[in-house]
Structures are given as structure tokens and as C-alpha cells.
Amino acid sequence: MFQSFGDIPKEKSIDNSIALLKEGYRFIPNRCRQYGTDIFQTRLLGEKVLCMSGEKAAEIFYDKEKFHRKGAAPKRIQKTLFGENAIQSMDGNSHEHRKLLFMSLMTPDKLERLSQITNVLWREKTRDWQGADKVVLFEETKQLLCKAACKWAGVPLQEEEVKQRADDFWKMVDAFGAVGPRHWQGRSARKRGEKWIQSVIEQIRAGKLDVNEGTAAYAMAFHRDIAGKQMDSHMAAVELINVLRPIVAITDYIAFSVVALTDHPEYQEKIKNADDEFYQWFVQEVRRYYPFGPFLGARVRRSFIWNEVKFHEGTLVLMDVYGTNHDSRLWENPEKFHPERFKEWTGGMFDLIPQGGGDYYKNHRCPGEWITIQVMKDSLGFLVNKVNFELPEQDLNYSLVRMPSLPQSGVILTNISSA
Ligand code: HEM
């Protein structure tokens, strides 16, 4: 329940940034539970911040009359995860225009092509893995998806550079919840990545690199913004990275899928040769259950009152992603991993929000959600049906404090053979 105006819980401490780093994914859910509320006020990095959780909160968070993204993402996130002044920080018509560019890459035939590329690369992996003592699934998947993303997007990638490029894409992601070395590694990775992709864009524009018209590289190179101007080559590179980097990030969900099968062995037989519907339930549950994005930020566009709570213009508001995906009002037994729950799910726009909520075209909801689901299904299908492996003694635990979270051991596989 939202409290009446002026009555929302306000945290007394001068700043809670350290508490956020200590509590990670549970920072907002812990406080909502403690205060018996869906909204509270805190202070982070010296600023008054409203935090909110749940389906109803998500619905207003995606109301563009009420919130915008301008000035919401701190520079440290833009310099690592997003790229500066990219789609994530845009609003209004220029955001919708840019979003169309991303959505134009998500047609069924383009998804099918990525799926085919991914499946071919997985088949090649079986050959690479023959005779290997052990492999770390996280590392292998990261490189595989880097190859798949570049091939699909029309970005040339030499075999010798796969590891470095894959590592760099992941480092950009890995920096988002970090201070210190992990953050600085993310910045360097972004600098290297942007330089590389900017030169790809420039070569395409100069006619020195021939890419297929249907690819992301072509689309970014020749896209015209709302004023009819081509993006400068740096911006085009940042947006192309906004396609490549998150495809590599699907690695984490694939690693978590194997953790899920280990923690819930009853699904190991069920998923073998299961139909597409069951795969769908399974990957949806992985996306709901396992931690990735903790929360999202936006600023109040114009002051408004909602449910007797006053939101002042300019206030930073954080929307709880992890807590909403684990909200017991939306999900029965939310702490239970139970793919079958999706049998009954009607596909709400604001309840399952691991990749944001609302409308793909009008809001900031992740345009890559269908790609993510497809790549997860393809990869999981390969791992359960096409290879046999063992999971030796290892630490498959994951932290709810480290952001982003990932299985500790990286998921080590041994005794691999084709099925
Ligand atoms: C591990 C898989 C992924 C996760 C967890 C994820 C998560 C998210 C989240 C939480 C948002 C923000 C939503 C918001 O601000 O309201 C987002 C936005 C975005 N994602 Fe993803 N994503 C994933 C995969 C992808 C893929 C595969 C692509 C592209 C191929 C992609 C491209 C983008 C872009 C361009 C945006 C910005 C959209 C906008 O601002 O309008 N993501 N994603």
C-alpha cells in the first residue's frame, strides 16, 4: 500500500550508498518489507531518491507524462554500460524514432538468422570440446555469443580477437554495480570497444567494408535521426554496441539456466526434448528468478500526485526490478523456482520486468527481449540434448550483493562428449 502524502517512510541516514553496495539486489525489497510500503525516500550519492516496487509502481514508472530519462543515468553508468547520450537517456519523439531503429532489427526473419548462427556455433563447440579436460561455460558462452552477435550484426571479427572483444563486452556490463577496479576496467573496455566499432562504421560509410543491408551494422551506419541527419560515427558505434554487448550478456542467463537445472534436478529429465512451450516457461522463470538488473532509474518530468504521494519535478526515482520479479502479490511462492507458473501467466506488461516493462516502441523496454529468450532456448536446448557433461565439485552459488550477479565458478563442465 502507498502511504498518504507526506507520510511515506523517509530514511534518516545522511547517505545510503554504502548500504546499497552492501545489500545489492535486496536494497529496495528489504526496505519495502521493513516499512510495509511500496515506496520510500532515501538518499543516494548525496541526492534525495524515491524508491518504488511492484506492478502498480512499474505502470506509473513507464508513464512518459510523469517520468523521463534525461539526467537519470549517472555518468559512471554511461561511461561503462550504456555509452554516453545513447538511446537509454533519450526521451519523447527522438527516443521513439531511435527505438524504431532497434525494433527494425527484431523481425522474425532476423531473429531466425541469429538463432541459426547460434546453433551452428554451438555445434562447432562440441568439436572444440572433444578431449578437453574441463571448460568454463561462462567463458565459452561469452565468446560464442560474441561471435554470433558480430556475425549477425555484420561486424567483422577475426578468430584471434574473439576473446578480447568478448571480455570487453562483458566488462562493460560487469562494471554497472561496481566501484574501483571493476568500474575502471569497464571504462577501458568501452573506450577500446567504441574505437573498434567506430572504425567499422567509418569503413562501411566509406564503402571499404561491404555489409548486408539487413544487418545492425548497416542500419546503424546509415540511420538518420529525427532531423534527417546521419548519426556521427561515434554515436552510431555506441548504438551498435548497444546491440552487440547485450547479446554477449545473455551468457549470464545461460549460466544461470545450468545452475537452475543443478539446483532443481527434477527438471533435467523434463527439459530433455521438451516442447517449445516448456522451454519458454523455463527460460521465463530463469529471467524472473535469477538476479541481473537490480533496478531502473528515471526522473520526475513534471510534479504530480499519485495515490496521495507527491512526486516533485526532477526527483530521481528508482524502480525495483528484482523485487518486482519476486513480489508475492504477483508470483505465488516467489522464492521457489517453478517454470510451470508460466502456464497461467497472461503476459502482463508490468509484472515480469527483468528487461523492463511497458511498450517496446513507446517505452524504454528492452528491444532485445525476444532475442534473449530465443538465444536462451537455443543454448539450453544444445546443452541438454546435444552434449553430455558432468559438473564437478564447484561453487555454483551466486551473490545477491555483487551486481551483476553470476555463478561463482563460472560453471565448470568436465567429461564432455556429444550426446
Ligand atoms: C541478458 C539479457 C538482457 C537483459 C537482462 C536486458 C535488460 C535490459 C533492461 C533492464 C533494460 C532497461 C529497460 C528500461 O530502461 O526501462 C534494457 C534496455 C535495452 N536493451 Fe536490453 N537486456 C538484455 C538483452 C538485450 C539484447 C539481446 C539487446 C539487443 C540485441 C538489448 C538491447 C537493449 C537496448 C538498446 C535497450 C535500451 C532501450 C531503450 O532505452 O529504449 N538488450 N535491457
Side-chain angles (χ1 to χ4, degrees), residues 161-191:
E161 57 178 336
V162 174
K163 184 175 173 355
Q164 161 92 68
R165 299 305 186 194
D167 284 351
D168 277 352
F169 285 132
W170 176 254
K171 280 179 185 163
M172 296 178 204
V173 179
D174 204 32
F176 80 68
V179 284
R182 197 144 59 83
H183 171 75
W184 290 103
Q185 282 182 12
R187 283 194 183 218
S188 316
R190 171 160 287 284
K191 278 200 190 122

Side-chain angles (χ1 to χ4, degrees), residues 25-26 29-30 32-33 53-55 253 284-294 319-338 341-342 350-354 398 400:
Y25 291 91
R26 289 200 172 118
N30 277 349
C32 286
R33 199 169 317 110
S53 189
E55 187 177 20
Y253 278 149
Q284 292 291 48
E285 183 67 342
V286 169
R287 294 190 320 126
R288 181 195 74 80
Y289 184 85
Y290 289 96
F292 205 151
M319 175 64 217
D320 180 20
V321 166
Y322 181 77
T324 304
N325 288 336
H326 288 253
D327 186 331
S328 58
R329 293 166 299 182
L330 300 170
W331 311 103
E332 200 182 328
N333 258 331
E335 299 311 325
K336 184 176 170 195
F337 182 85
H338 185 58
R341 68 172 77 247
F342 282 96
F350 304 103
D351 51 5
L352 180 68
I353 56 165
Y398 56 94
L400 285 178

Side-chain angles (χ1 to χ4, degrees), residues 157-334:
L157 180 71
Q158 303 303 316
E159 193 59 39
E160 316 78 78
E161 57 178 336
V162 174
K163 184 175 173 355
Q164 161 92 68
R165 299 305 186 194
D167 284 351
D168 277 352
F169 285 132
W170 176 254
K171 280 179 185 163
M172 296 178 204
V173 179
D174 204 32
F176 80 68
V179 284
R182 197 144 59 83
H183 171 75
W184 290 103
Q185 282 182 12
R187 283 194 183 218
S188 316
R190 171 160 287 284
K191 278 200 190 122
R192 275 192 298 274
E194 287 183 0
K195 194 166 163 222
W196 167 44
I197 297 295
Q198 189 172 348
S199 92
V200 170
I201 295 284
E202 283 163 4
Q203 288 174 59
I204 295 172
R205 285 183 177 170
K208 291 184 189 149
L209 184 65
D210 201 16
V211 287
N212 190 301
E213 274 192 32
T215 59
Y218 186 97
M220 297 302 171
F222 297 113
H223 171 75
R224 292 191 176 270
D225 66 18
I226 200 156
K229 267 182 52 202
Q230 239 170 35
M231 293 188 276
D232 67 48
S233 58
H234 179 255
M235 193 72 248
V238 167
E239 296 299 31
L240 184 48
I241 291 175
N242 265 330
V243 171
L244 302 170
R245 180 202 67 248
I247 295 179
V248 175
I250 303 169
T251 298
D252 207 15
Y253 278 149
I254 295 170
F256 276 134
S257 303
V258 177
V259 172
L261 286 173
T262 314
D263 288 349
H264 310 279
E266 66 277 17
Y267 287 109
Q268 288 175 13
E269 274 312 304
K270 263 193 211 167
I271 195 128
K272 276 202 171 160
N273 300 311
D275 58 11
D276 186 64
E277 189 178 46
F278 189 79
Y279 270 86
Q280 180 80 13
W281 298 344
F282 193 90
V283 303
Q284 292 291 48
E285 183 67 342
V286 169
R287 294 190 320 126
R288 181 195 74 80
Y289 184 85
Y290 289 96
F292 205 151
F295 48 74
L296 298 165
R299 284 191 188 272
V300 177
R301 192 172 156 223
R302 240 180 268 124
S303 299
F304 66 92
I305 293 174
W306 184 77
N307 272 7
E308 299 180 325
V309 177
K310 176 127 191 193
F311 289 73
H312 293 277
E313 185 174 331
T315 307
L316 180 62
V317 176
L318 300 184
M319 175 64 217
D320 180 20
V321 166
Y322 181 77
T324 304
N325 288 336
H326 288 253
D327 186 331
S328 58
R329 293 166 299 182
L330 300 170
W331 311 103
E332 200 182 328
N333 258 331

Side-chain angles (χ1 to χ4, degrees), residues 22-26 291 322 398-403 405:
K22 280 193 178 149
E23 291 173 54
Y25 291 91
R26 289 200 172 118
Y322 181 77
Y398 56 94
S399 163
L400 285 178
V401 174
R402 186 197 199 276
M403 299 183 287
S405 184

Side-chain angles (χ1 to χ4, degrees), residues 60 100 106 110 115 118 121 172 177-178 206 209 244 298 300 382-383:
I60 60 154
L100 266 180
M106 307 300 160
K110 290 182 181 153
S115 172
T118 309
L121 289 172
M172 296 178 204
L209 184 65
L244 302 170
V300 177
F382 168 81
L383 289 166

